[in-house]
Amino acid sequence: MYQYIDDKNYKHLIGIIIGGSEKEESIHGLAHVGEHMLLLPCFENEDEDESYSTFGYTCIDHIFLYFTSRNKSSLKKIRNKIEDKSVITTDKVEIAKHQVICECENLKDKIASNEKKVKFITENRIKNFAAGNIDDIKKITTQEMENWLECIINEKRMFFFSLEDFVYDSMQSICVKHNMNKYEQKKEQTVELLYMCKDIKCRCDLEIYAPLFQVSEKEQYLQLISDEYYIERYLIRFSDQVEVTEKFFSYTERYLLINMKNVLFDALPEIIRELKNSSEWGKKYSYKTEKENLYHHLVLVSKENESSNIDIINIILKKLLYEISFIDVKKEINLLDMIENSMSAEMQESLKNNTKIVIT
């Protein structure tokens, strides 16, 4: 994926387009073909630059492009080709269409499984999926690709970052207008299960999704990270492999994701009871005694001053796409005093109501 990502002999350029497949109207797969097309200049090798490497992906809410080369001038040429739209030619469009169709055919079962899961979690609110529809993809024209890229440029939805020159303060000046339509939850709220395998043995893996409140202030994000830490620590008694994080399908489709591996299937009812009664966890598990461990955890999670380019990319994506502030816990340790000594009321509500569990 990120080839040579931390090799200091290489320069790194990332491009982020806000609005992936969710921006498509009638042509499902336009964004996916666009992503492949925008990566093709690296393979032309006009400069005979053997150090080129690239990869990208398309999501529901964004497109990600990654280019690396020893020569900074090579990356500048690629960016110029994209921004002046000269990247679009009939040959490139056809190549990109062929690549995407092959990908859809080769990953047909995996794509169908992922789409089924997203429909279940979001209660069918998401209609356009990243892979696209093969029949639509076959009909895409060069003119439609030109219109697609021109719309992105005119609406200022494309951002480029040179990782070696990146300055965190530059993110503060970027203003993005996101789709603010909040999803509507069902009036009758309950735990729902989706079985992704035919035969459930004595042990299984769980993906637990709970609606996540919007986080914008640093104090809110610190509280969220703290809640995730406590949930992970509490549920580890059911599995020695528990990971708690955020999962974003779009700006408003936000979820807490609890991954639990190798769980006893018979323990599922008890896990559900615990999630619905998370307000009682403080009586069984002392938050105050974990303050020091929590601090070290927060330092690891907030990596603003780390040198890893992957950390920088993740911070850029969270800030640009979801307005989540990055935090330097060591400098802002006073924020820790603002964290509640128990799980936040918003998190308790999320775990209690409308939780979706995917079983594999």
Side-chain angles (χ1 to χ4, degrees):
M1 290 174 61
Y2 297 106
Q3 197 167 7
Y4 312 115
I5 187 66
D6 286 317
D7 189 328
K8 302 206 180 289
N9 295 316
Y10 280 77
K11 310 300 180 185
H12 309 274
L13 177 71
I14 64 169
I16 300 169
I17 297 174
I18 294 180
S21 60
E22 69 178 354
K23 282 286 185 178
E24 298 169 344
E25 294 180 1
S26 58
I27 307 171
H28 302 314
L30 196 63
H32 196 179
V33 173
E35 171 232 318
H36 279 248
M37 182 188 66
L38 297 180
L39 295 174
L40 285 174
C42 269
F43 300 99
E44 293 174 342
N45 209 14
E46 293 174 353
D47 305 319
E48 296 184 357
D49 182 354
E50 299 295 336
S51 66
Y52 266 142
S53 177
T54 185
F55 101 96
Y57 62 78
T58 301
C59 282
I60 292 166
D61 65 345
H62 72 281
I63 296 169
F64 182 87
L65 309 169
Y66 169 73
F67 307 93
T68 183
S69 170
R70 286 194 180 95
N71 304 320
K72 195 168 187 176
S73 60
S74 297
L75 299 180
K76 186 176 180 181
K77 286 181 180 179
I78 288 176
R79 176 174 176 174
N80 289 341
K81 278 189 172 185
I82 294 173
E83 292 182 325
D84 67 16
K85 301 189 289 292
S86 62
V87 66
I88 303 176
T89 65
T90 299
D91 287 346
K92 286 196 186 73
V93 172
E94 292 305 314
I95 291 170
K97 285 165 60 178
H98 175 73
Q99 290 177 347
V100 172
I101 289 170
C102 289
E103 184 179 318
C104 289
E105 289 175 341
N106 293 336
L107 301 175
K108 180 173 62 175
D109 291 342
K110 182 178 180 180
I111 290 170
S113 176
N114 287 339
E115 290 182 0
K116 180 180 180 182
K117 187 191 301 184
V118 174
K119 287 177 182 178
F120 168 72
I121 295 163
T122 65
E123 297 172 350
N124 292 313
R125 284 183 293 272
I126 289 179
K127 306 298 182 184
N128 297 350
F129 294 95
N133 179 281
I134 289 179
D135 290 335
D136 286 353
I137 292 167
K138 289 177 180 177
K139 299 173 185 176
I140 291 174
T141 66
T142 303
Q143 184 61 56
E144 286 167 335
M145 291 310 310
E146 289 176 353
N147 295 342
W148 171 80
L149 184 55
E150 185 173 8
C151 181
I152 289 168
I153 293 170
N154 290 343
E155 293 179 0
K156 298 180 180 179
R157 293 191 282 115
M158 182 185 295
F159 300 86
F160 283 100
F161 300 92
S162 173
L163 294 186
E164 56 274 4
D165 300 329
F166 180 72
V167 179
Y168 285 94
D169 290 344
S170 65
M171 292 295 296
Q172 305 301 333
S173 61
I174 297 176
C175 295
V176 179
K177 291 184 179 179
H178 291 282
N179 182 0
M180 298 296 291
N181 295 328
K182 180 67 177 174
Y183 60 83
E184 294 182 6
Q185 295 181 14
K186 290 181 178 178
K187 293 181 179 178
E188 186 178 325
Q189 298 182 334
T190 183
V191 174
E192 294 185 44
L193 307 178
L194 174 65
Y195 293 87
M196 296 292 287
C197 51
K198 293 181 181 178
D199 300 318
I200 296 293
K201 299 180 181 178
C202 63
R203 290 187 178 270
C204 59
D205 295 342
L206 303 179
E207 291 179 13
I208 303 171
Y209 294 84
L212 192 62
F213 47 92
Q214 189 168 321
V215 175
S216 55
E217 302 299 326
K218 289 185 177 182
E219 294 89 340
Q220 291 176 314
Y221 188 49
L222 269 176
Q223 183 66 52
L224 173 59
I225 298 172
S226 303
D227 288 345
E228 291 172 358
Y229 171 79
Y230 288 129
I231 292 169
E232 186 174 309
R233 295 280 290 163
Y234 189 79
L235 293 179
I236 203 167
R237 64 197 182 94
F238 294 104
S239 166
D240 58 0
Q241 297 180 64
V242 181
E243 182 183 13
V244 185
T245 185
E246 308 100 52
K247 178 67 177 178
F248 303 100
F249 295 115
S250 69
Y251 185 74
T252 54
E253 289 287 342
R254 304 172 180 226
Y255 296 87
L256 180 81
L257 170 57
I258 305 171
N259 267 305
M260 302 178 69
K261 302 289 186 182
N262 200 31
V263 179
L264 280 170
F265 182 72
D266 290 343
L268 184 55
E270 186 180 354
I271 292 171
I272 293 173
R273 282 195 299 272
E274 291 289 1
L275 293 174
K276 295 182 77 67
N277 294 304
S278 58
S279 59
E280 301 294 314
W281 289 10
K283 297 177 181 178
K284 305 177 184 177
Y285 187 80
S286 174
Y287 283 59
K288 291 183 178 179
T289 58
E290 289 291 328
K291 275 288 185 181
E292 186 175 345
N293 291 335
L294 173 60
Y295 169 74
H296 292 300
H297 172 74
L298 291 172
V299 170
L300 288 174
V301 171
S302 60
K303 298 177 177 178
E304 178 178 347
N305 291 329
E306 296 290 332
S307 59
S308 167
N309 280 332
I310 293 179
D311 293 334
I312 293 174
I313 289 171
N314 290 333
I315 288 170
I316 291 173
L317 285 169
K318 280 191 173 183
K319 178 63 177 175
L320 190 64
L321 297 171
Y322 312 115
E323 296 184 303
I324 293 178
S325 299
F326 37 79
I327 304 164
D328 185 350
V329 175
K330 292 179 181 177
K331 289 182 180 178
E332 302 177 85
I333 191 170
N334 61 303
L335 291 176
L336 283 174
D337 295 331
M338 304 182 71
I339 297 173
E340 297 178 24
N341 282 327
S342 60
M343 192 184 301
S344 64
E346 293 92 344
M347 184 62 74
Q348 292 174 27
E349 187 71 15
S350 291
L351 294 174
K352 183 178 180 180
N353 296 320
N354 210 23
T355 303
K356 303 286 197 301
I357 301 179
V358 177
I359 305 169
T360 57

